[in-house]
């Protein structure tokens, strides 16, 4: 109770690990939760904790930023965020994906170690999600995810994508 007034939560250096992520996930699933920014730096969060946080973003469309510097998140953890932010299983699921969460930070990664690096695909999704028009964000994701390659997208992106064939 009383958490509906919070818009930022700082839990830096609290070593919350995956159990703390589960507790935070419970808070984030509450429809009354209005958190926009969460600082989880240096908390020993692993892939399991990252997946727990990512999964809450399927129902929470308010969180915009999570700071995850100095944790133990690798490819599997980042993939969980990618799938929640742009579900490739169908056009409808892509349309229903989270279009709000747009920033995660990661630092202190060895340039020779790709394991802890946020995948480029996730950065592209963050760029889409940073847009203000969430209908346009959904359309961009659908086109990128389901109609890339040799498909000519020019008619869909001209005139601000006003063609009414996409959700």
């Amino acid at each position: 109770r009383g958490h509906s007034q919070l818009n930022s939560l700082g839990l830096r250096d609290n070593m919350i690990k995956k159990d703390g992520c589960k507790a935070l996930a419970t808070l984030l699933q509450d429809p009354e939760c209005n958190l926009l920014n969460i600082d989880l730096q240096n908390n020993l969060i692993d892939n399991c904790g990252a997946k727990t946080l990512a999964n809450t973003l399927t129902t929470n469309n308010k969180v915009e930023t999570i700071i995850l510097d100095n944790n133990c998140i690798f490819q599997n953890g980042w993939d969980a965020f990618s799938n929640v932010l742009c579900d490739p299983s169908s056009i409808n699921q892509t349309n229903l994906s989270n279009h709000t969460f747009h920033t995660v930070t990661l630092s202190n990664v060895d340039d020779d170690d790709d394991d802890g690096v946020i995948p480029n695909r996730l950065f592209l999704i963050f760029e889409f999600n940073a847009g203000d028009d969430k209908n346009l964000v959904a359309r961009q994701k659908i086109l990128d995810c389901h109609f890339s390659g040799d498909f000519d997208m020019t008619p869909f992106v001209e005139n601000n994508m006003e063609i009414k064939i996409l959700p």
Side-chain angles (χ1 to χ4, degrees):
R1 297 195 179 212
H3 63 274
S4 63
Q5 301 301 314
L6 292 174
N7 61 24
S8 293
L9 180 63
L11 294 173
R12 179 185 299 194
D13 300 319
N14 278 287
M15 308 305 169
I16 67 169
K17 302 179 185 178
K18 64 181 175 186
D19 289 335
C21 289
K22 289 178 187 175
L24 183 56
T26 301
L27 172 66
L28 294 175
Q29 290 171 342
D30 184 336
E32 299 296 316
C33 179
N34 290 310
L35 282 173
L36 301 175
N37 306 296
I38 306 168
D39 184 347
L40 297 174
Q41 293 182 66
N42 198 28
N43 274 293
L44 298 177
I45 297 171
D46 59 8
N47 286 337
C48 184
K51 288 176 187 178
T52 299
L53 292 173
N55 288 336
T56 64
L57 297 175
T58 58
T59 57
N60 181 305
N61 287 308
K62 296 176 185 170
V63 173
E64 296 176 353
T65 303
I66 300 177
I67 301 172
L68 288 167
D69 294 346
N70 301 313
N71 283 291
C72 306
I73 303 170
F74 300 104
Q75 187 69 42
N76 289 338
W78 298 124
D79 286 347
F81 281 103
S82 292
N83 290 333
V84 166
L85 299 178
C86 188
D87 184 340
S89 63
S90 71
I91 290 174
N92 191 48
Q93 287 306 114
T94 302
N95 185 50
L96 295 173
S97 296
N98 181 301
H99 305 306
T100 306
F101 181 59
H102 60 75
T103 305
V104 69
T105 62
L106 180 67
S107 65
N108 297 336
V109 175
D110 183 352
D111 290 336
D112 296 328
D113 178 15
D114 288 341
D115 285 340
V117 177
I118 300 173
N120 287 334
R121 174 81 182 130
L122 190 52
F123 278 119
L124 177 63
I125 297 168
F126 287 150
E127 285 180 31
F128 289 151
N129 278 7
D132 291 329
D133 182 346
K134 298 308 175 186
N135 289 323
L136 180 59
V137 169
R139 291 176 185 171
Q140 287 173 317
K141 288 181 185 180
I142 290 168
L143 291 172
D144 181 70
C145 187
H146 299 281
F147 299 99
S148 59
D150 292 334
F151 188 80
D152 181 12
M153 293 192 295
T154 305
F156 300 100
V157 296
E158 291 175 347
N159 299 321
N160 235 0
M161 295 176 62
E162 292 298 324
I163 297 174
K164 299 296 182 191
I165 62 171
L166 292 175

